[in-house]
Amino acid sequence: MAETLPGTGGRGHGLDLAMRGIVKRFPGVLANDHVDFDVRRGEIHTLLGENGAGKSTLMKILYGLYRPDAGEIRIDGEPVQIDSPRRAIELGIGMIHQHFMLVPTLTVAENVALGLASPKGPLLDLAPVARRIEELSEAYGLRVDPGAMVWQLSVGEQQRVEIIKALYRDAELLALDEPTAVLTPQEVEDLFVTLRAMAAEGHSLIFISHKLHEVLDISDRITVLRNGRLVGTVSSADATKAGLARMMVGREVVLEQVRAPVEVGPPRLEIFDVRARGDRGTEAVRGVSLQVRAGEILAIAGVSGNGQRELAEVVAGLREATGGRVLIDGSDVTGADPGQRRALGLAYIPEERMRDGAIGQFTVAENLMLHDFDRPPFARHGFLDFAEIERHCRRLVADFDVKTPSLDTTMKSLSGGNIQKAILARELSANPKVLVASQPTRGVDIGATEYIHRRLLDQRARGTATLLISEDLDEILALADRIAVMYEGEVMDVVDRADADVGRLGLLMAGVRDSGT
Amino acid sequence: MGEFFTSAVLVSTVASGLRLSTSYLFAAVGETFGQRSGVLNLGVDGIMLLGAFGAYYTVLNGGGLWLGMVVAITVGLVMGLAMAFTSVTLQAEQGISGIGFYLFGLGLSDLLFQKLVGTPLPIRGFPELRIPFLADLPVVGEMLFSHSIVVYAAFLLVPVAAFVLNRTTLGLKIRSVGENPEAADTLGVSVAGVRYLTVMTGSALAGLGGAALATELGIFQQNLTAGQGFIAVALVYFGAWRPVGVMAGSLLYGLVASVVLQLKTLGIIPRSASELAAMLPAVLTILALVVAVQRERQPAALTKPYERGA
Amino acid sequence: GGAGDEAGGGEGAAEQPFRIAVVAPSAINDLAFSQSIYDGLVAIQEEMGGPTKVELAVTDGTFVVEDAAAAIRDYAAQGYDLVIAHGSQYGTSLQEIAPDFPDVSFAWGTAGDTFGLPNVFAYEAASNQGGYVMGVMAAALSESGVVGIIGPIEVGDAKLYVDGFAAGVKAQDPTVDVTINYTGSFSDVALAAEAARAAIGAGADVLTGTAQMVVGAVGVAQEEGVLWFGTQADQTQLAPEIVVASQVYHWEVVLRDMIDLIQQGTLGGEAYVIDLANGGEEIAFNPGFDLPADVKQLGQDTIQGIIDGSIVVPAGG
Amino acid sequence: MGTLFPVAAVLAALVVGAVMLLLLGASPGEGFAAMIDGAFGGPRELADTVNKAVPLLLVGVGITIAFRANVINIGGEGQIVLGALTATALALALPDWPAVVLLPLGLAAGLVGGAVWGAVPGALKAYFGVNEILSTIMLNIVAVQGMNYLLRGPMIDPAEIESGSRIPQTMRLPPATDLPVLVPDTRLNLGAVIAVVAAVVVYVFLWRTTYGYRIRAVGLNPFASRYAGIDVKRSTVVALTLSGALCGLAGAILVFGSESHRMVTDGSTTGFTGSAGFNGIVAALFGGLHPIGTIPASFLFGALLVGANRLQRVTQVPSALVIALNGLVVVFVVSSAIWKRRLEQRAQLEAVQTGDQAAQTSLPGDVAPAAADPPGRDSGTDDG
Ligand SMILES: Nc1ncnc2c1ncn2[C@@H]1O[C@H](COP(=O)(O)OP(=O)(O)OP(=O)(O)O)[C@@H](O)[C@H]1O
Ligand SMILES: Nc1ncnc2c1ncn2[C@@H]1O[C@H](COP(=O)(O)OP(=O)(O)OP(=O)(O)O)[C@@H](O)[C@H]1O
Ligand SMILES: [Mg+2]
Ligand SMILES: [Mg+2]
């Protein structure tokens, strides 16, 4: 075991990385096609590209998780073979993966200590680990309790654990794959403070994000990939949002949607004093009352873990309300199952799309039919009518611009953006009266985000009452008519879009009630 | 019913329950290691049979009991290596390859027995080892402290296993690999290495369980285990993947079986109902789980092969 | 494949060996039920002049009844002279198969019924007789006044033996308690062992048991120093210190007769019983066991009584 | 192409078997000739092979349903026993009914018996969170003891009591329940047709009906299924119930098609089922967890078992060898699945390099044929 316990300190200051001519094929795709990529000491270098452009693949090659089919990696000028994460760690490379690599049933300290030698030989000794975690927390502003179980942590905290894991292993170069996708603005700010501190110490940093303002904010240089190929590397100082978007997508992208005024109708979704428990049994929603009217988008802002997800699930019928009532289009659905709610005109875009929204190994067609497979014309007398189903799905795929090789392609082999579009197609095809959209563009590239926003606004124009749950304030400000801020299971305040600004929302999200200045 | 509650009967019933639990316990604690790391080994019964035969044959040929145990462990390790190779390296469907190993062990142990031994000649097992002082205590002395060394070893294994799983760096790796192998992999933990280790350890313990059975009974016979290995696997689920829980399950199973035997011997259970009584351990095991309302989650990666980047 | 090199001389120059196939539920060296028939066949083979004269084919461990049926059919189709279905559970299959092969002789054991078919023999053991004899001795030997019996499931040969043994005990000394425990399995050795312990725990100082799983119980008896009576095969070698005697089956007594009949052209119809009188059953005393002379005498008297009819052993119930 | 791997795996297992034969002093050539002859040598042998395959097919198809719902049903043994018991009980209760009524009714009784024994672990899993591996293992034990109790007591042939022999078997069932023999002079009976029809019906059920869609959806993702309005718990119960029902049907056919036309026990489950509850799982896997694929898979597996029995009789090796060989075949077949997956992945990779988009089909192993897929075949690369 090469790694040792804390206190050894960094072995130097950062790494110079050069990846040359990297090629990686997967069944069906050329994920990296002769990509060149450099990172210098003390630099924050962003990788940018649409979903499926090959960013994560390049990073996984760097970390020894994938073997490149061709190409070379040099560190400080020396060619290196990185054939395992162990080797990458030895070389001083750390990685924050797009999907967190944590063991939920273990404590923070156990997660950090995993794979390291212990001073007590074969026996676990977590006390020094906890101490060192606290030191690192202190030094980089990464607050986290070493004794907490990981499954109890918020997403932001989990991310801090990931960073601590890398720092603990003396990572000189740290790659962060979409670290901000799940963070609140405040958490993003905190993260950036940490990253800048690390860069200032000489660490080399690779950053991946779909949010252009973040990219422009944090990066020194930006490298753009498209369809696995290198488009170019630009200095952040010379870059603009529109220019980057064009490099990524290969065309002009409308970054701001026009929110036309819409006639607001009667209340479609009414929530009265709803209470619900979270997964851990604690009260997560504590007496929330909201009304969403036809033609209106009501956004719920808030730091994740403040009851938004539970509230959305209560409305969708996936979580039992322990108190209060939910009405859809005037009918009380508090005790109804998801199917009954759907029949009354509810649609739902779940936050965890691969868990709640789609069946990965089912085909695109089967996924598009997930709610309607058992009703005519798609099924008769218990038998599926494939001709009818295919006709319907073809239309949806065309209408919603889902890019898939065929209707028989498995859902999981689509890109994140296209999976989201397929779910959107299914949910919006019934022209719902009420739409609950949870984090509809999380992790989705700007092209697809643009498209999804347009569809949500279209739906608003058609009289749908939309409850939008998002941690992305830009998204909220771009779409919402009114904004409710949730904090610790309660609605702090509901503000009109016109009166909302990032500062005021941020304070509310932090639990500071409006003093009415 | 009164005669059942005489202390002599109680003592022998409990002592018998402990002995009946012993071979389950070895096998089930071993299986716990494998399952905690994400590998289901349904071939335990076959491995037990081969281990039992290995130990029996060694002792019969004058190799001595300790060598017999070593042989059983070795047999278990070899079978474990094969099992790990199919489940970890070849990523075979574990529930089914396990049944294959079971049938293989069932057939091969019988074949070897018939070819090498033939007539089931008796061997002498470990002598009763009375623990000083404790064995002289009234009632509990006879119940708990007058057994052969294999019985103590099986029960000692429980805290050892719990310690390894919860207090060592290896245990941390095992738990991580069973919950989130990808995360362990990204920290340089060899997922395959850990799984080979646990499956081989588990199989070695299964072999030892078989050896315990053969030496305690002093005999080998076709299908000596009579399905104990399958029950051991079930007891891992019963024990919610914790050594102590597994021990509770083994004890429950063994004690119910011995109580039933005792009641039949005393004529309290009529002979016409003897099959119904034989159902009791199985039924009670299920009921205990239903009533105990423990919704322990299984290791998230259980039965799922891991391949980097898949 | 037919073995048998042309042995010169003898009566018939090109004489084919007599071909016997046996299908048995457990292993032929189980020191119990299946071994008893195999030993008998080997004895007959020796007696008739070795493998050139008698060819033996064995399919043992055939606990699946349908597989046994297939094997019986297959041996019959291959032209074996005598196909033995050594398991009472095979009988009803045999009943279907035998009429399809009128030229082949079949034997069904252990049972008393030939279904009225001309090409089926039946054979069984009056295992209650030996059981009774040993029960009598057990009662005489017991000091605690408790005798334990371990059985598999309460059927056939096992039940007959257990009932006979219990009757013998009671006949000798009605005050002796008999605990009977059918474990519910022919194969669960561990359970049989614990049943023996339970019996000992209940005070038994003499044990017996039947079927192949009792090897576990014998071990316990040896360990605890209580006495053991065996059946179906000589179990002395299992525990030389504590086995008093075993009831041994000599199926060759009836096999010899069957083969004679077959060679004379009678393919079945006879139902045989081996018992103490016809020498098919023998009480094999353990020469290494120091059996009190009076008890041995008691046993021998009982044997004699059964043979001459002065003692009638009840046949189960 | 992909089916070559299981076949190659069987051959590899047989090579190991050949070594074992040599060690036992038998000639592998003679042994394997006997095996082939015993399985395919003539109409009678073929009929035996088919009869052996019938319970494997039914169990395999049942297992497929459970597998698709993400439940491993290793309770096939007990479910077969239960089906046999209920079918037998019904036949005994209605001795005078005509065949046209009694036979289907008896088979239906078998279905019901097995279904109940499948529903129990299903309900325990869905509503009490009891793992099905635990419950099915335990229920197998309960079933065998129940069988012994019934065949020794309430259901025993009265003649056995009278004669005192007490063989644990029922009386001969009414001839109305004899499965009609299809080919004279063989034992090939209607069971084969029933099993094949059942396989086709299950195929249609799983991929053409809404209920099958539900079961597959629940198996792949219970969360999304729940949101789609599917009752996840009920679907789990239904899948295990159907799985058990097919095993129960196998049990009924084992009795009605048996040589002795009655139910007999030797005190163990295997003595009645011949391990079909386990071997059927292997046949299902061999058949790609697809009902139609399971048809040839069961036939081959049946041939293997029947052939191995003949091998034993001809070479006179201990029959334990047959069991060991059976196990080796299982291990080799499941282990070979990886090469099949690899091959399909490589085919996809090559298709990309040549720019052939059409080959980008679903991932192997899932074998979830969508509407257009021909039955019994993996979405192969050769028909793109
Ligand atoms: N393990 C894999 N097997 C097969 N194909 C893969 C695998 N991983 C990635 N791909 C494919 O490789 C391409 C690049 O994927 P990658 O994950 O690198 O994209 P990305 O740029 O990180 O996208 P995103 O922005 O959505 O995270 C995609 O087409 C994807 O479908
Ligand atoms: N095993 C795989 N086979 C095929 N494609 C895969 C595989 N794993 C990932 N992909 C594809 O790789 C791309 C990137 O996947 P990734 O895991 O990075 O998540 P994503 O699609 O970006 O979603 P999100 O950002 O919400 O996590 C996607 O197109 C995904 O569908
Ligand atoms: Mg990515
Ligand atoms: Mg993404």
Side-chain angles (χ1 to χ4, degrees), chain A residues 25-29 318 338 342 348 354-356 358-359 361-362 366 369-371 373-374 379 382-384 386 408 410 412 427, chain D residues 204 207-210 213-214 216-217 220-221 223-230 345 348-349 352-353 357 360 362-363 366 370-371:
Chain A
R25 281 183 207 93
F26 285 117
V29 248
L318 294 177
R342 176 164 302 282
Y348 175 50
M354 285 316 286
R355 195 185 86 137
D356 295 325
I359 297 182
Q361 290 105 310
F362 262 19
E366 284 173 316
M369 298 311 303
L370 206 49
H371 300 301
F373 68 94
D374 58 353
F383 285 86
L384 298 168
F386 291 106
D408 295 338
T410 53
K412 68 174 183 192
E427 297 298 319
Chain D
V204 170
W207 276 285
R208 311 266 154 169
T209 70
T210 55
Y213 178 99
R214 278 195 190 98
R216 289 186 299 124
L220 290 172
N221 185 341
F223 302 102
S225 302
R226 176 161 166 247
Y227 172 57
I230 298 172
Q345 272 169 8
Q348 282 192 329
L349 204 60
V352 172
Q353 284 161 336
Q357 274 295 306
Q360 198 181 342
S362 60
L363 285 176
D366 299 333

Side-chain angles (χ1 to χ4, degrees), chain D residues 187-199:
Chain D
R187 301 193 49 241
L188 182 68
N189 61 45
L190 192 63
V193 177
I194 294 171
V196 170
V197 168

Side-chain angles (χ1 to χ4, degrees), chain A residues 51-52 55-56 98-99 177-178 181 210 353 416-417 442-445:
Chain A
N51 291 127
K55 309 176 293 290
S56 297
Q98 190 166 353
H99 303 286
D177 196 349
E178 295 194 41
H210 290 292
R353 65 182 80 114
R442 175 182 282 178
V444 169
D445 67 37

Side-chain angles (χ1 to χ4, degrees), chain B residues 8-9 12 15-17 19-20 110 113-114 117-122 124 213 216-217 219-226 228 257 261-262 264-266 271-272 274-275 278, chain C residues 27 29-31 35 60-61 63 153-154 163 179-184 187-191 193-195 197-199 201-202 212-213 215-216 219 222-223 237-239 241:
Chain B
V9 170
S12 80
S16 154
R19 276 190 306 271
L20 282 174
D110 188 18
F113 173 69
Q114 289 194 37
V117 182
T119 295
L121 295 172
R124 257 191 200 289
L213 192 64
E216 283 288 274
L217 295 169
I219 205 77
F220 184 83
Q221 215 192 30
Q222 176 211 35
N223 194 19
L224 181 79
T225 55
Q228 288 198 356
L261 267 175
Q262 195 64 253
K264 280 203 285 185
T265 305
L266 297 176
R271 247 192 285 153
S272 57
S274 78
E275 287 86 3
Chain C
N29 39 26
D30 62 356
L31 271 189
Q35 177 153 5
D60 62 350
F63 42 87
I153 53 181
E154 196 180 353
D163 291 348
T179 74
I180 299 176
N181 197 340
Y182 284 102
T183 62
S187 60
D188 198 328
V189 181
L191 214 53
E194 286 307 323
R197 282 188 208 276
Q212 62 269 26
M213 82 297 167
V215 288
Q222 164 139 349
E223 192 178 307
Q237 49 182 327
L238 275 176
E241 294 107 80

